[in-house]
Amino acid sequence: LRWRTRREGPFGIGAKDSQVKDRHQTTSHEIERYAGLFAKRTTQMRSSAMRDLMAITARPDVISLAGGLPDTSSFPPETFAALTDRIARESCAAALQYGPTEGFDETKLRIAEVMDAEGMRADPDDIVVTTGGQQVIDLVTKTLIDPGDVVICEAPTYPGAVPTFSSYEADVIQIEMDSDGMRVDLLEETLQQLDRDGRRPKFIYTVPTFQNPAGVTLSAPRRKRLVEIARERELLVLEDNPYGLLRYEGEPLPPLYALDGGEYVIYLGTFSKILSPGIRLGWVTAPGPVLGKINLGKQAADLCTSSLTQHFVNAYFDQGRWRHYVSDLCATYRQRRDAMLDALAEFFPREAEWTQPSGGLFIWATLPEFIDTGDLLAKALREERVAFVPGSAAYVDGRGGSSMRLNFSGADVNDIVEGVRRIGKVVDEQVSLFSTFGGRGRDSASEIAGSGQDEAPGDSSADEPLADVVELPRRRDERRAQGS
Amino acid sequence: VTPRRVAVLKGGPSLERQVSFRSAARVEDALERLGIEYLSIDVGQSLVDDLRATTADVAFVALHGRGGEDGTVQELLEIVGLPYTGSGVLACMRCMDKVLTKHMLLETGLPTPDFFAFSEIAFKELGAGEALPAIEERLGFPVVVKPAAQGSALGIKFARGAADVPEALIAAFSYDDRVLLERHVDGRELAVSLLEGDGGVEPLPIVEARPRQEYFYDFEARYEIGKTDFVCPAQLPPDVTARVQEVAVETYRLLGCYGFARVDMILTAGGEPQVLEAQAIPGLTETSLLPQAAEAAGISFEQLVGRMLEQALARQGAIAPTS
């Protein structure tokens, strides 16, 4: 706590009075002026009360299962010191200098190495190093989308992609998923419908492996079919693959990029989950003409990706231990995932359903339809000091209201168990309250009580071990009918 | 009396923590421009110690929602003996609780939409669910379902039919253990801010909020520039303006507010104001209504902050320091 005065205020000691007086003041006239100055697309940028509620998670007594944070505390500080020491000795000036827009060749070689670890052959010349994976979503959308153009993505989709699509005024169409990822049959139906309407989608955005937020993985046959569809229709697919190396069980499936050879698949990778999100390093490989436009777009956005953190990655990969670190992370996250699944089974009511991810960072849980998880978040924060991401953040159309995303990488096992217990408590309270309303409503508690997680994990179908997972998102009529 | 040192209370555990930070940021800027020294406190476990340790003359309560606006922090300030801006404990309790506010309005004959209120216990232990059909019949659809104590329009739902009511109740009960079901009154959204001066409490020019897209003046419409058109002074016939302001002043007095407050109303097509609620600590953010009303009355934000602090110090006699 510190006293502040005008002299010691944000203007610093000795600030002139005139500077202080010129400080921006918002008057009602200015509200109107700004409202008139803002671009039309800003009205498409969604803000939400939920984002404001999240301010409370900054308080130390709140357990947050909301973020998507990898556990950077496991990175050895002595390694960090050694890397920066080496940069200082060997490449100080270059690390502090601008770099090429597309990134350093040395960094691209490391990226090719990471892609190779997942069975992809990428030519370093086809790679652009970006400021995090998020920039790829932005640049691809900027390159391909005019206002009103169609982008297809999963339902639910990565919540961070929604504001990007919105800010370019894309018309987002979301395709339902089940335990095998995006329903490719529904995708084809949608594409045919678009054909009939005379509309051609510009690209399909997908997180096929350990999807954020649903935690499900696109099955091998669907991967094959998706790539075929892209080929047949000459559509671009943006494959977002931050979590592919974070597999806790089972055999890896080939990335779309590997199946397609990079003709119709634009590949987005990132160091965020295998090394650090703080270094803001991601990359994109794309067909040449697209890459050229992306490069121009990146020039306009930020000239180049941080030279310093590219040198950091180069030095880190020279140590040759990156795969060991990833397997350490996997061991930690596997334990946390198991703890969360156990806690969900213990503390969530039987009316709730959730996914069983084999990797990644997230579990998607769906509650009885009468619970709006946005409102539930208020109760969870207020009464139990626990946070999650309300499901509606993963939709553009207001669906997902009774689902939530839970993260298991950013909290330790104790906090995960306690956090899930607290959420389970507020859910229980709402379920029992609902049952006192005289059995009315669109979805009464007793009616859905029989449709919980009846099928035990391990119940598997032919092509995917995750078939016990419920359909996503929950839609009562369809849920009972379909068995895909 | 001009304060020399001000403790700005902000943040806290309420759901409106972020709104509070925005209000406080403007207040802090104003204090800088006024050349008044200030200390900002994010209200938490150490609040009492922080207040006791401070050498402030007065606390500016820039808190919204539970804890900060419901009399709790005000009670602690009374105990510590530090003068503070705005209404006292009792008025804060009355304003925060929409059910209490409405009962008091009804008792005095001030207009407020017909309503029923329930606690969670009423449903869980007293079978209140059985009363819902009768209530719906009396109120008619759409029914507005609200948490009793929650600001910024959080948790407010419109039930368009009987099937919507349970979900709306569950939502509202997420914000408070008491909710009210209120008759929906169609009309214009008006806010009357009140500010005490030498001549007692005076209504400031009326602000009309016209949300551009949202169905009603909800959270996003409140705090996002460009989501709502504000008209101040609201375009109303003189007699309607007078009536709206008169109702606001009576509401202010009825609730026992001090210094300033804001009364939110719906103006029916027939020109009759219906009081929805009163804010003991109205928002002071860029898009908030009280600063706009003050400005329309020729009172700058700095003058407004200065007035609030002077009133707080003027009340000092009412506070009995404990040490």
Side-chain angles (χ1 to χ4, degrees), chain A residues 328-350:
Chain A
D328 288 351
L329 288 176
C330 283
T332 305
Y333 296 162
R334 181 186 298 117
Q335 204 184 12
R336 292 178 181 180
R337 177 204 60 173
D338 292 344
M340 182 171 275
L341 287 171
D342 289 349
L344 284 164
E346 183 175 354
F347 298 116
F348 267 37
R350 62 189 309 266

Short mmCIF file of all heavy atoms in Angstrom, two decimals, chain A residues 328-350:
data_model
loop_
_atom_site.label_atom_id
_atom_site.label_comp_id
_atom_site.label_asym_id
_atom_site.label_seq_id
_atom_site.Cartn_x
_atom_site.Cartn_y
_atom_site.Cartn_z
N ASP A 328 8.15 -35.77 -19.25
CA ASP A 328 7.93 -35.38 -17.85
C ASP A 328 6.56 -34.70 -17.70
O ASP A 328 5.81 -34.97 -16.76
CB ASP A 328 9.01 -34.40 -17.37
CG ASP A 328 10.36 -35.10 -17.17
OD1 ASP A 328 10.39 -36.34 -17.24
OD2 ASP A 328 11.35 -34.38 -16.97
N LEU A 329 6.28 -33.79 -18.63
CA LEU A 329 4.98 -33.10 -18.59
C LEU A 329 3.84 -34.10 -18.70
O LEU A 329 2.85 -34.03 -17.96
CB LEU A 329 4.88 -32.07 -19.72
CG LEU A 329 5.71 -30.79 -19.61
CD1 LEU A 329 5.54 -29.96 -20.88
CD2 LEU A 329 5.31 -29.96 -18.39
N CYS A 330 4.01 -35.05 -19.61
CA CYS A 330 2.95 -36.05 -19.81
C CYS A 330 2.70 -36.82 -18.52
O CYS A 330 1.56 -37.09 -18.15
CB CYS A 330 3.33 -37.02 -20.92
SG CYS A 330 3.11 -36.33 -22.58
N ALA A 331 3.78 -37.18 -17.82
CA ALA A 331 3.62 -37.94 -16.57
C ALA A 331 2.83 -37.12 -15.56
O ALA A 331 1.91 -37.62 -14.89
CB ALA A 331 5.00 -38.30 -16.01
N THR A 332 3.17 -35.84 -15.46
CA THR A 332 2.47 -34.96 -14.52
C THR A 332 1.00 -34.81 -14.90
O THR A 332 0.11 -34.95 -14.06
CB THR A 332 3.13 -33.55 -14.52
OG1 THR A 332 4.52 -33.72 -14.25
CG2 THR A 332 2.50 -32.65 -13.48
N TYR A 333 0.76 -34.53 -16.18
CA TYR A 333 -0.61 -34.26 -16.61
C TYR A 333 -1.47 -35.51 -16.57
O TYR A 333 -2.67 -35.44 -16.31
CB TYR A 333 -0.63 -33.67 -18.03
CG TYR A 333 0.04 -32.31 -18.16
CD1 TYR A 333 0.43 -31.82 -19.41
CD2 TYR A 333 0.30 -31.52 -17.05
CE1 TYR A 333 1.04 -30.59 -19.55
CE2 TYR A 333 0.93 -30.28 -17.18
CZ TYR A 333 1.29 -29.82 -18.43
OH TYR A 333 1.90 -28.60 -18.57
N ARG A 334 -0.85 -36.66 -16.83
CA ARG A 334 -1.61 -37.92 -16.79
C ARG A 334 -2.18 -38.10 -15.37
O ARG A 334 -3.36 -38.40 -15.19
CB ARG A 334 -0.72 -39.10 -17.15
CG ARG A 334 -1.45 -40.44 -17.14
CD ARG A 334 -0.50 -41.61 -17.37
NE ARG A 334 0.15 -41.54 -18.67
CZ ARG A 334 1.48 -41.41 -18.87
NH1 ARG A 334 2.28 -41.33 -17.82
NH2 ARG A 334 1.98 -41.37 -20.08
N GLN A 335 -1.31 -37.87 -14.39
CA GLN A 335 -1.72 -38.00 -12.99
C GLN A 335 -2.85 -37.01 -12.67
O GLN A 335 -3.83 -37.36 -12.00
CB GLN A 335 -0.49 -37.67 -12.15
CG GLN A 335 -0.50 -38.25 -10.78
CD GLN A 335 0.73 -37.79 -10.00
OE1 GLN A 335 1.46 -36.88 -10.40
NE2 GLN A 335 0.95 -38.43 -8.85
N ARG A 336 -2.73 -35.80 -13.17
CA ARG A 336 -3.74 -34.78 -12.89
C ARG A 336 -5.06 -35.10 -13.60
O ARG A 336 -6.14 -34.91 -13.03
CB ARG A 336 -3.23 -33.40 -13.31
CG ARG A 336 -2.08 -32.95 -12.42
CD ARG A 336 -1.52 -31.61 -12.84
NE ARG A 336 -0.40 -31.26 -11.95
CZ ARG A 336 0.32 -30.15 -12.05
NH1 ARG A 336 0.04 -29.28 -12.99
NH2 ARG A 336 1.30 -29.93 -11.21
N ARG A 337 -4.95 -35.60 -14.81
CA ARG A 337 -6.17 -36.00 -15.53
C ARG A 337 -6.89 -37.11 -14.76
O ARG A 337 -8.10 -37.06 -14.54
CB ARG A 337 -5.83 -36.50 -16.93
CG ARG A 337 -7.06 -37.01 -17.69
CD ARG A 337 -6.71 -38.00 -18.77
NE ARG A 337 -6.04 -39.18 -18.23
CZ ARG A 337 -5.74 -40.25 -18.91
NH1 ARG A 337 -6.05 -40.32 -20.19
NH2 ARG A 337 -5.11 -41.27 -18.35
N ASP A 338 -6.10 -38.11 -14.32
CA ASP A 338 -6.71 -39.21 -13.58
C ASP A 338 -7.38 -38.71 -12.30
O ASP A 338 -8.47 -39.14 -11.95
CB ASP A 338 -5.65 -40.27 -13.25
CG ASP A 338 -5.14 -40.99 -14.49
OD1 ASP A 338 -5.81 -40.87 -15.54
OD2 ASP A 338 -4.08 -41.65 -14.42
N ALA A 339 -6.69 -37.77 -11.64
CA ALA A 339 -7.26 -37.22 -10.40
C ALA A 339 -8.58 -36.51 -10.70
O ALA A 339 -9.55 -36.62 -9.95
CB ALA A 339 -6.28 -36.25 -9.75
N MET A 340 -8.62 -35.78 -11.83
CA MET A 340 -9.84 -35.05 -12.16
C MET A 340 -10.97 -36.02 -12.53
O MET A 340 -12.11 -35.83 -12.09
CB MET A 340 -9.60 -34.05 -13.28
CG MET A 340 -10.84 -33.23 -13.62
SD MET A 340 -10.53 -31.86 -14.76
CE MET A 340 -9.99 -30.59 -13.62
N LEU A 341 -10.64 -37.05 -13.30
CA LEU A 341 -11.69 -38.01 -13.68
C LEU A 341 -12.23 -38.72 -12.44
O LEU A 341 -13.45 -38.90 -12.29
CB LEU A 341 -11.13 -39.03 -14.68
CG LEU A 341 -10.88 -38.50 -16.10
CD1 LEU A 341 -10.13 -39.52 -16.94
CD2 LEU A 341 -12.20 -38.12 -16.77
N ASP A 342 -11.33 -39.10 -11.52
CA ASP A 342 -11.78 -39.74 -10.28
C ASP A 342 -12.67 -38.78 -9.47
O ASP A 342 -13.70 -39.17 -8.93
CB ASP A 342 -10.58 -40.17 -9.42
CG ASP A 342 -9.85 -41.36 -10.04
OD1 ASP A 342 -10.40 -41.96 -10.99
OD2 ASP A 342 -8.72 -41.66 -9.58
N ALA A 343 -12.23 -37.52 -9.39
CA ALA A 343 -12.99 -36.54 -8.61
C ALA A 343 -14.37 -36.29 -9.24
O ALA A 343 -15.37 -36.15 -8.53
CB ALA A 343 -12.20 -35.23 -8.51
N LEU A 344 -14.41 -36.25 -10.57
CA LEU A 344 -15.70 -36.06 -11.24
C LEU A 344 -16.64 -37.21 -10.91
O LEU A 344 -17.82 -37.01 -10.61
CB LEU A 344 -15.50 -35.96 -12.75
CG LEU A 344 -14.94 -34.63 -13.28
CD1 LEU A 344 -14.42 -34.78 -14.70
CD2 LEU A 344 -16.00 -33.54 -13.21
N ALA A 345 -16.10 -38.43 -10.96
CA ALA A 345 -16.93 -39.59 -10.66
C ALA A 345 -17.44 -39.54 -9.23
O ALA A 345 -18.56 -39.95 -8.93
CB ALA A 345 -16.14 -40.87 -10.90
N GLU A 346 -16.60 -39.00 -8.34
CA GLU A 346 -16.99 -38.96 -6.93
C GLU A 346 -17.93 -37.79 -6.61
O GLU A 346 -18.89 -37.96 -5.85
CB GLU A 346 -15.74 -38.87 -6.06
CG GLU A 346 -16.06 -38.90 -4.57
CD GLU A 346 -14.82 -38.95 -3.69
OE1 GLU A 346 -13.71 -39.07 -4.23
OE2 GLU A 346 -14.98 -38.86 -2.46
N PHE A 347 -17.68 -36.64 -7.18
CA PHE A 347 -18.36 -35.44 -6.70
C PHE A 347 -19.44 -34.87 -7.64
O PHE A 347 -20.21 -34.01 -7.22
CB PHE A 347 -17.35 -34.34 -6.40
CG PHE A 347 -16.38 -34.70 -5.32
CD1 PHE A 347 -15.03 -34.80 -5.57
CD2 PHE A 347 -16.84 -34.94 -4.02
CE1 PHE A 347 -14.13 -35.13 -4.57
CE2 PHE A 347 -15.95 -35.27 -3.01
CZ PHE A 347 -14.60 -35.38 -3.28
N PHE A 348 -19.45 -35.26 -8.91
CA PHE A 348 -20.48 -34.71 -9.78
C PHE A 348 -21.73 -35.59 -9.70
O PHE A 348 -21.62 -36.81 -9.57
CB PHE A 348 -19.97 -34.62 -11.23
CG PHE A 348 -19.38 -33.27 -11.58
CD1 PHE A 348 -18.65 -32.57 -10.64
CD2 PHE A 348 -19.57 -32.70 -12.82
CE1 PHE A 348 -18.10 -31.32 -10.93
CE2 PHE A 348 -19.04 -31.45 -13.13
CZ PHE A 348 -18.31 -30.77 -12.19
N PRO A 349 -22.91 -34.99 -9.79
CA PRO A 349 -24.13 -35.78 -9.70
C PRO A 349 -24.27 -36.70 -10.91
O PRO A 349 -23.64 -36.48 -11.95
CB PRO A 349 -25.23 -34.72 -9.70
CG PRO A 349 -24.64 -33.53 -10.34
CD PRO A 349 -23.18 -33.57 -10.02
N ARG A 350 -25.07 -37.70 -10.78
CA ARG A 350 -25.16 -38.69 -11.85
C ARG A 350 -25.82 -38.13 -13.11
O ARG A 350 -25.70 -38.69 -14.19
CB ARG A 350 -25.87 -39.95 -11.38
CG ARG A 350 -27.32 -39.76 -10.94
CD ARG A 350 -27.81 -41.06 -10.30
NE ARG A 350 -27.55 -42.23 -11.14
CZ ARG A 350 -28.45 -42.73 -12.00
NH1 ARG A 350 -29.63 -42.15 -12.14
NH2 ARG A 350 -28.17 -43.79 -12.72
#
